[in-house]
Amino acid sequence: MNDKNQIKAKRLMRVFQTSLVLVSAVVIFGNGCSEGGFYPNANNSQELSSTLGASCVDPDAIEVIPGAKTAALVGSTNIVQHLAACTGLESVSSLTLGVYDAKVGSVSTYGAVNSLTPPMMMAVHSIAGEICNDLVDQEIARGTRIFAGWNLNADVLPSTSAISVAASNMALSCFRDYELSNEERDIVIDSITSSVGANETQASRTAAVMLCTSMLASLNALLN
């Protein structure tokens, strides 16, 4: 073999070796965290499984706890329907739909719990506030259900017992039959009585919207 052919053969060998290394890297690192690769499986030793398992964990993955139900939140596509349904609201106003259109970009698309952010909660609060305004209008027109016994047109704050009953009604409707504790009811009552004047204009309606919004924008009401 002359010198020219020897040089050509060496170059081909280097190309082959380089290709072999690249293919090996793809196989190893591409399958390293999958079954059949180096991800721990039933045939791996416990020590190897723990070592490799730790290195293959997705930092954004939701931890699965054996025997526990994985929580999910309502997503952006059905949040209005979800909140309206739990409160018994039959029709949503154009104002509510306008607020939804303006805020929906901040709401998680699929409702994964690790997608929860402060901007999302602010958006949910705005949407819930409009849902609650619609609910109060409906209860004024058709009779009270959540706010049983309230005069929603009154310029006077409802009694603490009436506020307590309304809070319980909201919880039963939107918290999956969760019953508020006395402490939780007291928090709702105190927040309303400290924020709404006893005889201010539309005090009853303001209290109703405040109670509804604070509970409807909570995580309990957003569980899917």
Side-chain angles (χ1 to χ4, degrees), residues 37-219:
F38 288 100
Y39 190 84
N41 56 41
N43 296 321
N44 294 134
S45 68
Q46 187 172 357
E47 182 179 356
L48 179 61
S49 296
S50 61
T51 301
L52 294 175
S55 65
C56 292
V57 172
D58 181 352
D60 296 322
I62 299 172
E63 181 183 0
V64 177
I65 302 174
K69 183 178 179 180
T70 300
L73 304 177
V74 62
S76 60
T77 57
N78 60 343
I79 186 171
V80 171
Q81 295 91 331
H82 176 87
L83 298 180
C86 84
T87 58
L89 179 63
E90 295 180 7
S91 61
V92 178
S93 68
S94 58
L95 181 58
T96 296
L97 293 177
V99 171
Y100 167 76
D101 288 339
K103 302 292 185 179
V104 66
S106 297
V107 181
S108 169
T109 302
Y110 302 109
V113 292
N114 59 352
S115 65
L116 188 67
T117 63
M120 175 178 169
M121 294 310 298
M122 292 294 292
V124 169
H125 191 275
S126 297
I127 295 168
E130 296 307 325
I131 292 283
C132 291
N133 265 307
D134 291 346
L135 175 64
V136 171
D137 287 339
Q138 176 176 291
E139 296 214 352
I140 289 174
R142 303 184 184 182
T144 55
R145 185 180 68 88
I146 296 292
F147 302 102
W150 289 38
N151 178 358
L152 291 167
N153 287 315
D155 295 331
V156 60
L157 200 61
S159 66
T160 55
S161 60
I163 296 173
S164 177
V165 169
S168 294
N169 290 342
M170 276 292 299
L172 290 172
S173 293
C174 297
F175 288 5
R176 297 191 176 188
D177 296 327
Y178 174 79
E179 185 174 351
L180 293 179
S181 66
N182 290 331
E183 181 181 4
E184 289 168 327
R185 273 192 289 269
D186 288 342
I187 290 173
V188 173
I189 293 169
D190 290 345
S191 66
I192 291 174
T193 55
S194 63
S195 302
V196 184
N199 299 105
E200 72 175 57
T201 302
Q202 292 191 319
S204 184
R205 181 189 182 95
T206 302
V209 172
M210 182 177 176
L211 181 153
C212 174
T213 303
S214 63
M215 296 184 68
L216 209 56
S218 69
L219 292 179

